[in-house]
Amino acid sequence: MKIFCIGRNYANHAKEMNSEVPTTPLFFMKPDTAILRPGMPFFYPEFSKDIHFECELVVKINRVGKNIAEKFAHKYYDEIGLGIDFTARDLQKICKEKGHPWEVAKAFEGSAPISKDFISKSELDLENLTFSLQQNGNIVQEGTTADMIFSIDQLIAHLSKYMTLKKGDLIYTGTPEGVGPIAIGDELKGFIGEREMFVVKVK
Ligand code: MG
């Protein structure tokens, strides 16, 4: 199973990171060991002092495909979940400065919490699907697919040019603005609309 993560897919997040808005989708990957299973705590790693949350809608691929045309991309997923792309911002900053790969900052153990449930897209308005993250009861991130730079279908078309997509692959579709640091003791709760999707405790 592959985990794709899209970078800078919301203009206001690109702005808060002082990054340019991309003209084609940016992506990187995490290994399957990055998945933090639902209900499990996240253990703050000793190699970073600045782990940030990035709450993201997650698309689950439902069949094998490559070179998928955008107009057919909707046939390759049925369900949407919610996750976090945990990022060691201090290590990422060094990677960016030195032009090094990002895995050390993005692909570590437990860096990809995922919701237990995925919601059938037939129940959702994919044009304006809202989601949010609460940190200790305070809303810290709110997003909507209406603000995505690249739609889910465009992302699937792009990724499948480079790699065969397989059933069960996940696409973390990028984070809206409001990313910030976590601390030991935090409780992170993610919502699609009003529906609670996950709770992650930081230990
Ligand atoms: Mg991200």
Side-chain angles (χ1 to χ4, degrees):
M1 183 259 276
K2 301 188 287 301
I3 304 169
F4 296 98
C5 299
I6 307 302
R8 299 180 209 162
N9 202 22
Y10 292 81
N12 286 339
H13 171 62
K15 201 191 272 179
E16 76 180 346
M17 299 302 292
N18 294 314
S19 298
E20 283 174 26
V21 173
T23 50
T24 55
L26 298 176
F27 74 91
F28 58 90
M29 297 176 76
K30 298 190 188 225
D32 57 5
T33 50
I35 291 287
L36 186 71
R37 284 183 292 117
M40 297 299 285
F42 175 73
F43 290 97
Y44 205 111
E46 43 75 30
F47 51 75
S48 173
K49 294 195 162 26
D50 196 24
I51 302 283
H52 278 207
F53 53 77
E54 297 187 357
C55 185
E56 311 196 357
L57 291 169
V58 181
V59 173
K60 190 187 280 181
I61 297 296
N62 67 1
R63 67 183 70 190
V64 175
K66 62 179 173 181
N67 287 317
I68 300 163
E70 185 185 331
K71 66 177 174 182
F72 297 124
H74 65 96
K75 296 174 184 282
Y76 289 79
Y77 66 103
D78 297 317
E79 295 177 317
I80 307 281
L82 192 70
I84 299 177
D85 164 21
F86 275 137
T87 303
R89 198 68 77 200
D90 44 358
L91 302 184
Q92 187 194 33
K93 182 166 176 281
I94 296 168
C95 294
K96 283 182 177 175
E97 284 167 4
K98 297 193 171 175
H100 288 174
W102 282 17
E103 277 81 354
V104 72
K106 286 285 198 181
F108 50 87
E109 204 80 4
S111 63
I114 187 77
S115 54
K116 178 162 161 279
D117 296 331
F118 276 66
I119 306 175
S120 168
K121 70 182 181 189
S122 62
E123 294 173 35
L124 301 170
D125 173 10
L126 289 184
E127 303 293 312
N128 185 15
L129 179 58
T130 60
F131 60 103
S132 61
L133 182 73
Q134 292 184 6
Q135 183 179 30
N136 306 322
N138 303 311
I139 297 171
V140 285
Q141 287 193 281
E142 287 181 292
T144 164
T145 52
D147 290 337
M148 281 181 164
I149 297 168
F150 302 104
S151 68
I152 292 169
D153 291 355
Q154 287 173 321
L155 296 175
I156 287 173
H158 185 77
L159 294 170
S160 68
K161 277 188 219 172
Y162 300 95
M163 273 173 256
T164 299
L165 304 187
K166 289 184 166 178
K167 185 175 179 180
D169 286 352
L170 299 175
I171 306 171
Y172 283 63
T173 57
T175 196
E177 74 266 31
V179 301
I182 57 168
I184 291 171
D186 277 359
E187 183 179 74
L188 301 167
K189 272 189 193 174
F191 297 83
I192 290 180
E194 302 291 310
R195 181 163 165 181
E196 186 177 298
M197 298 299 291
F198 63 73
V199 180
V200 175
K201 293 198 162 127
V202 182
K203 293 196 172 176

